[in-house]
Amino acid sequence: MTEPAPSAAAPPSMVLVDRHVGFIDELREFIKETGGLPLDRSIALALKRIPAPTHLPACSSSRRRGRRIDRGALEEMAIQDEIKRYRAEVEEPALAMLLQRKASSPSSAAAVRKEPLPEAIDGDGSLYRELLAGIEPCFSAAVAGAAAPSVTRLSLEISWPPGRHITSYPMSACIASCHRCFLVLYVGGYRPGVSVHHQPGFYLVYNASANSVAIVPPLCVNYSSHCDIGAGVAVLCCSIGDGDCVGSYVLAELLLHIDSRNFLPTNKATLFIWDSSSCWWVKRDQLVLPQPADHAADEQGTTTCSFHAHLAFAVSFSSICWVDLRTGILVYNHIHSEQFHFIPLPEECITGKLRNRRSWQGQREPDEYRTMCCLDRQTLKFVSMDESYSQECPMFTSWTLRRPLSPTNWKWEKDAVSSFCIRDLWDDQLYRDKLLRPLMPRFPVISTQEPGIIYFSITDDYKHNHSHYVLSFNMDRRRVESVYEVPSDKNAITLPPRLFTSDFSSYLNKTKAWDLMHGRREGPVEGEGDC
């Protein structure tokens, strides 16, 4: 009797995602695969062909364009000449062969679909078209030994034409925000309001339900008059999509105005909204944010403000929250009112009002010992590690915020059961078996499926190459559920993970082969009470 083929395992409904995004240079890998030399080796050989100092004085009599050239200038010219030769004779032919192989590969039919470029991209259309065509998101498998939910990392496989402006900078990318099936990334050095030096880059939006990616052009911002609010761009899923519809989303970038007198951020801001249905950036300027002021306002109603968002996430299908883990939550209702309201943290958690605050916190950033997440449209969860009033060790305490979308009827409730002392973690047998030494947990993350589960990142500086661990702790049972070590990359470098929880994995693999061929896609049914 023939056994039936095993069905594909259903993707987990929630995963831990690392914000760090890696790059896989397919062109470089293809050159290596076909026996070609990498660029750095080729440059090294070109430099060896320069005559040795015994035959070439420190100030050579060699002339180019009638000028005397020293050895350093000769090496610089040799490098530039070799880069041009390598690009024309190695990279460009290799890219043509790589693209031909990818086009003829059977897996190309299941490749990530590329959304059409928006009309907002004017003169750079050809450049962005090349960048979009040569980018493929790739999600890693679960980390070995990790208990469910698994940890997922995103890498971008790139096959971009050589010599483009963006490739002349060190490649970088990070996941800024996630909501439902949408992930939004910063690709390149572009970060609006962060630096006065504009670096190339763009937004990349991945739709897990449609298995597609879209490029959103960067903002044109006056960096001398605006600064970022902290957490970066936020994505709001407006609809999941059904049938041929791939769903719609909104990107929100909130930039604070800078006071020209003291160069400090103020309570005035500019909100940039990108709606996927219209594909244009819409600007709302001169907004007055209801944040706690540092001092009295002037005649124009302007005051400096120290609000700095450590987190940004969506609530329901209507609102976005920017969270300062020291002071409170700035809530923006995009769908119903287009208005902001502010919710302060519980009184005893506001920085500066913590009693008996000790030196263990020092200059640590608040997201190292605090976090917040959305459980559903009516509930936010807040966890803080602060000094106990009666013990000599830090205590983790959790709070629940009811009705966060209401400007007046919100309410904080302290969770008496879901609190624990850090010694409960250190004394756990599984912790002792894996880590042995008491180490301070950092960067807590709340499970959106089981709010009693908290994930921590732990770094052991005494082990080789700074070993990093991720552990899950059950606050209700006061026990460690799982501990695993973060694996190193191919260069034996281990980066500390910066995790967040997401349910985008539940939208993966919804596209059947038959539906893909006929342009039909399936999506999950929208939940009534989901966040």
Side-chain angles (χ1 to χ4, degrees), residues 20 22-23 153 155 465 468 486-496:
H20 298 297
F23 282 87
R153 287 180 174 83
S155 297
N465 205 22
H468 301 286
V486 178
S488 58
D489 60 14
K490 62 181 180 180
N491 298 318
I493 298 176
T494 306
L495 294 175

Side-chain angles (χ1 to χ4, degrees), residues 256 264-268 291-295 303-308:
L256 301 178
L264 295 175
T266 68
N267 62 334
K268 293 186 177 180
Q291 305 167 345
D294 294 343
H295 56 76
T303 178
T304 57
C305 182
S306 57
F307 184 93
H308 179 85

Side-chain angles (χ1 to χ4, degrees), residues 19-40:
R19 292 188 185 273
H20 298 297
V21 177
F23 282 87
I24 301 174
D25 192 333
E26 292 187 298
L27 179 58
R28 182 183 301 174
E29 296 293 330
F30 182 79
I31 293 173
K32 180 180 178 181
E33 176 188 331
T34 54
L37 288 177
L39 178 59
D40 56 347

Side-chain angles (χ1 to χ4, degrees), residues 8 11 109-113 206-212 243 245-246 505-524:
V112 175
R113 186 167 64 88
Y206 173 70
N207 185 340
S209 178
N211 193 32
S212 66
C245 178
V246 298
S505 57
S506 63
Y507 301 92
L508 291 171
N509 301 329
K510 298 295 182 181
T511 304
K512 298 179 181 179
W514 177 260
D515 293 327
L516 186 63
M517 293 173 59
H518 293 80
R520 298 194 301 270
R521 290 175 171 81
E522 294 182 343

Side-chain angles (χ1 to χ4, degrees), residues 24 26 51 66 75 88 91 147-148 205 220 237 265-266 268 390 417 431 434 455 500:
I24 301 174
E26 292 187 298
E75 292 180 349
E91 290 182 328
V205 180
C220 295
C237 175
T266 68
K268 293 186 177 180
S390 59
V417 177
Y431 181 94
K434 295 288 185 178
Y455 301 94
F500 67 96

Side-chain angles (χ1 to χ4, degrees), residues 401-422:
L401 176 62
R402 306 293 183 186
R403 300 177 296 278
L405 301 186
S406 172
T408 56
N409 293 327
W410 53 267
K411 180 181 180 182
W412 283 107
E413 297 175 356
K414 190 172 184 177
D415 304 328
V417 177
S418 296
S419 299
F420 69 94
C421 176
I422 197 67

Side-chain angles (χ1 to χ4, degrees), residues 212-439:
S212 66
V213 290
I215 280 183
V216 175
L219 292 169
C220 295
V221 179
N222 185 348
Y223 290 89
S224 62
S225 60
H226 293 77
C227 67
D228 72 311
I229 198 170
V233 65
V235 61
L236 172 66
C237 175
C238 300
S239 66
I240 297 295
D242 188 18
D244 292 333
C245 178
V246 298
S248 60
Y249 61 89
V250 165
L251 301 185
E253 192 79 77
L254 185 61
L255 302 180
L256 301 178
H257 292 191
I258 297 176
D259 192 328
S260 59
R261 297 165 296 184
N262 52 28
F263 304 103
L264 295 175
T266 68
N267 62 334
K268 293 186 177 180
T270 299
L271 178 64
F272 294 90
I273 294 292
W274 176 275
D275 193 327
S276 63
S277 59
S278 61
C279 292
W280 288 96
W281 282 110
V282 177
K283 177 181 177 182
R284 294 185 60 197
D285 206 358
Q286 298 298 326
L287 299 174
V288 179
L289 303 180
Q291 305 167 345
D294 294 343
H295 56 76
D298 59 14
E299 296 81 3
Q300 289 78 33
T302 302
T303 178
T304 57
C305 182
S306 57
F307 184 93
H308 179 85
H310 303 93
L311 300 169
F313 52 79
V315 179
S316 186
F317 288 92
S318 64
S319 303
I320 296 173
C321 293
W322 287 270
V323 182
D324 186 332
L325 293 171
R326 303 165 304 169
T327 58
I329 311 163
L330 186 65
V331 184
Y332 170 67
N333 192 316
H334 175 70
I335 300 299
H336 300 115
S337 64
E338 294 190 347
Q339 297 295 319
F340 289 88
H341 66 271
F342 182 79
I343 301 176
L345 293 180
E347 182 72 17
E348 63 187 74
C349 297
I350 298 176
T351 299
K353 298 183 179 180
L354 292 176
R355 294 171 288 174
N356 197 27
R357 190 181 183 194
R358 298 185 183 272
S359 59
W360 66 268
Q361 287 181 342
Q363 298 300 318
R364 299 170 72 189
E365 289 296 321
D367 57 346
E368 293 190 45
Y369 55 91
R370 289 181 170 185
T371 190
M372 188 179 295
C373 78
C374 174
L375 300 182
D376 56 57
R377 61 188 301 177
Q378 296 290 339
T379 311
L380 301 186
K381 191 83 168 182
F382 171 58
V383 171
S384 176
M385 180 172 65
D386 297 312
E387 196 69 37
S388 170
Y389 308 142
S390 59
Q391 303 182 41
E392 292 298 323
C393 69
M395 286 287 296
F396 271 95
T397 306
S398 64
W399 299 74
T400 299
L401 176 62
R402 306 293 183 186
R403 300 177 296 278
L405 301 186
S406 172
T408 56
N409 293 327
W410 53 267
K411 180 181 180 182
W412 283 107
E413 297 175 356
K414 190 172 184 177
D415 304 328
V417 177
S418 296
S419 299
F420 69 94
C421 176
I422 197 67
R423 294 189 187 278
D424 295 334
L425 186 150
W426 291 337
D427 293 339
D428 185 89
Q429 188 61 46
L430 181 58
Y431 181 94
R432 289 174 173 269
D433 293 341
K434 295 288 185 178
L435 299 177
L436 302 179
R437 302 188 308 107
L439 299 169

